[in-house]
Amino acid sequence: MNTRLHLGSTPIRLEPADGEAIVLSLSLQQLLDAGLQRFAPGEIALEQGIAMTEDALMPHVAALRQHPLEVLEVADDALAPLPALLGQDTDTAHTFTIDAVEQAFNLLADVAAGLPAHRVGFPEQPRFVAALLVVRELMHHVGWSALRLSRDA
């Protein structure tokens, strides 16, 4: 059973398949306004974004863990660059392991530390940066084992 993530909602909303929606006190726009709007984000901006996401997420971790944690499903154009970044076809739905999401996030951290984005094929899209940060923090702290990008979540 999947939990659907609505990144485009203001605020961000998660819908477990077997329970009521959980609303985070966070939106992608808040992350952008707090320092992720500039590309490439600096290390401080990235750390601030992580802290904001953790602050919004932590009160809900126990409730989210009460639901199956197989797949976090999201349909949002903000994450559209993820398959290409990870060397996959961009025309189909994709499922990524937590390790693949961590790999993408580590590339983001490298870019924030000064690595030119074009060297690793990292898209120069602030909204992608914010969305990747949120997804990584959700998977890391709650424990989903996979992320599914779809067109109809």
Side-chain angles (χ1 to χ4, degrees):
M1 294 190 357
N2 302 341
T3 297
R4 292 183 177 184
L5 170 61
H6 299 275
L7 281 170
S9 297
T10 300
I12 293 168
R13 190 175 78 251
L14 293 125
E15 291 183 359
D18 62 347
E20 292 187 30
I22 294 174
V23 178
L24 303 182
S25 59
L26 183 70
S27 70
L28 292 184
Q29 190 60 52
Q30 287 173 304
L31 288 169
L32 293 169
D33 292 344
L36 294 181
Q37 184 65 47
R38 183 179 143 279
F39 192 89
E43 291 174 297
I44 292 173
L46 192 59
E47 287 297 327
Q48 289 173 332
I50 291 168
M52 285 177 65
T53 303
E54 288 176 344
D55 288 347
L57 174 61
M58 290 309 170
H60 304 287
V61 169
L64 287 165
R65 287 183 179 161
Q66 296 302 311
H67 304 282
L69 297 175
E70 289 94 26
V71 178
L72 180 62
E73 186 169 355
V74 62
D76 192 295
D77 288 341
L79 288 171
L82 186 59
L85 178 63
L86 294 173
Q88 296 191 13
D89 178 21
T90 59
D91 292 333
T92 60
H94 290 87
T95 300
F96 299 98
T97 65
I98 180 64
D99 290 338
V101 173
E102 289 287 346
Q103 177 186 351
F105 187 80
N106 288 340
L107 290 173
L108 170 58
D110 291 345
V111 168
L115 180 69
H118 69 273
R119 275 208 194 145
V120 291
F122 200 94
E124 296 185 20
Q125 300 175 22
R127 189 169 158 79
F128 173 67
V129 169
L132 178 60
L133 187 152
V134 169
V135 166
R136 186 271 183 170
E137 291 302 307
L138 284 167
M139 295 181 78
H140 179 78
H141 291 291
V142 179
W144 281 284
S145 57
L147 170 69
R148 180 176 299 137
L149 300 184
S150 64
R151 296 195 166 111
D152 61 353

